[in-house]
């Protein structure tokens, strides 16, 4: 068997029919109906996974979130997403009461209930619409510039 580096180099010169055969050998299934460039990339990715390991669960979940966002909005980029690790506890004091939110794999837990968004929790706490990330201090107001008062 050839080394992974040699296999990656060979992919660059393979004609489409040979790429489809390489796909079948690599994935043990027929190749999808995509162009040669994407076939090369898919095969190369699998070869590299075999050497270096595959993506973490967190990365796979982030990709799935992005895929769903593309289906919903047609946009692939991050929408100023805030990345929080599962198990992180957010604390916010409001009107003298301290509120605790636990970050879960698929949302947030607050007072024993599951929420998909921090904004829903902020509304629950305040009774008014808030940006959840802003309410919990994870994001500053966009375009906000503090006023500087000159000393006379």
């Amino acid at each position: 068997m050839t080394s992974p580096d040699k296999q990656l180099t060979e992919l660059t010169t393979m004609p489409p029919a040979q790429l489809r055969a390489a796909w079948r050998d690599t994935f043990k299934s027929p190749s999808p109906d995509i162009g040669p460039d994407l076939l090369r990339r898919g095969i190369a990715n699998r070869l590299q996974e075999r050497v270096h390991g595959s993506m973490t669960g967190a990365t796979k979940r982030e990709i799935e979130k992005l895929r769903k966002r593309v289906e919903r909005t047609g946009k692939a980029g991050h929408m100023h997403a805030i990345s929080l690790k599962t198990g992180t506890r957010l604390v916010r004091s409001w009107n003298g009461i301290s509120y605790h939110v636990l970050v879960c794999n698929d949302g947030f837990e607050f007072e024993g209930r599951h929420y998909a968004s921090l904004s829903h929790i902020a509304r629950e706490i305040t009774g008014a619409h808030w940006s959840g990330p802003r309410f919990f201090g994870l994001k500053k107001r966009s375009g906000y510039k503090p006023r500087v008062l000159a000393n006379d």
Side-chain angles (χ1 to χ4, degrees):
M1 181 169 205
T2 59
S3 74
D5 288 337
K6 184 170 168 61
Q7 287 177 304
L8 290 172
T9 303
E10 289 172 353
L11 285 175
T12 61
T13 59
M14 282 186 187
Q18 196 175 355
L19 283 169
R20 294 194 186 289
W23 182 282
R24 275 190 306 277
D25 293 343
T26 304
F27 290 94
K28 308 298 183 222
S29 67
S31 64
D33 189 22
I34 56 178
D37 184 54
L38 289 176
L39 288 171
R40 279 186 193 93
R41 289 171 190 243
I43 296 166
N45 182 64
R46 181 56 59 95
L47 294 173
Q48 290 172 344
E49 279 181 347
R50 288 179 182 162
V51 173
H52 302 289
S54 64
M55 294 181 285
T56 65
T59 301
K60 289 176 183 177
R61 284 189 298 276
E62 182 66 20
I63 289 170
E64 182 61 19
K65 279 198 282 189
L66 288 171
R67 185 190 67 75
K68 287 179 180 176
R69 182 177 299 141
V70 167
E71 283 180 358
R72 197 174 59 251
T73 67
K75 296 178 183 173
H78 282 281
M79 299 169 99
H80 310 292
I82 294 167
S83 178
L84 297 171
K85 288 189 177 188
T86 300
T88 300
R89 188 168 298 278
L90 304 173
V91 180
R92 172 64 150 93
S93 182
W94 180 260
N95 290 338
I97 300 171
S98 186
Y99 295 95
H100 299 259
V101 173
L102 180 65
V103 178
C104 303
N105 277 338
D106 58 347
F108 306 92
E109 184 180 308
F110 172 63
E111 294 183 341
R113 294 191 338 229
H114 185 270
Y115 292 82
S117 124
L118 283 174
S119 296
H120 291 125
I121 298 169
R123 181 179 205 114
E124 187 83 18
I125 293 169
T126 66
H129 175 73
W130 270 81
S131 158
R134 214 170 111 216
F135 180 79
F136 285 96
L138 301 172
K139 184 172 136 181
K140 291 189 172 147
R141 185 175 175 184
S142 62
Y144 173 74
K145 295 195 180 12
R147 257 182 24 168
V148 178
L149 300 175
N151 291 335
D152 291 328

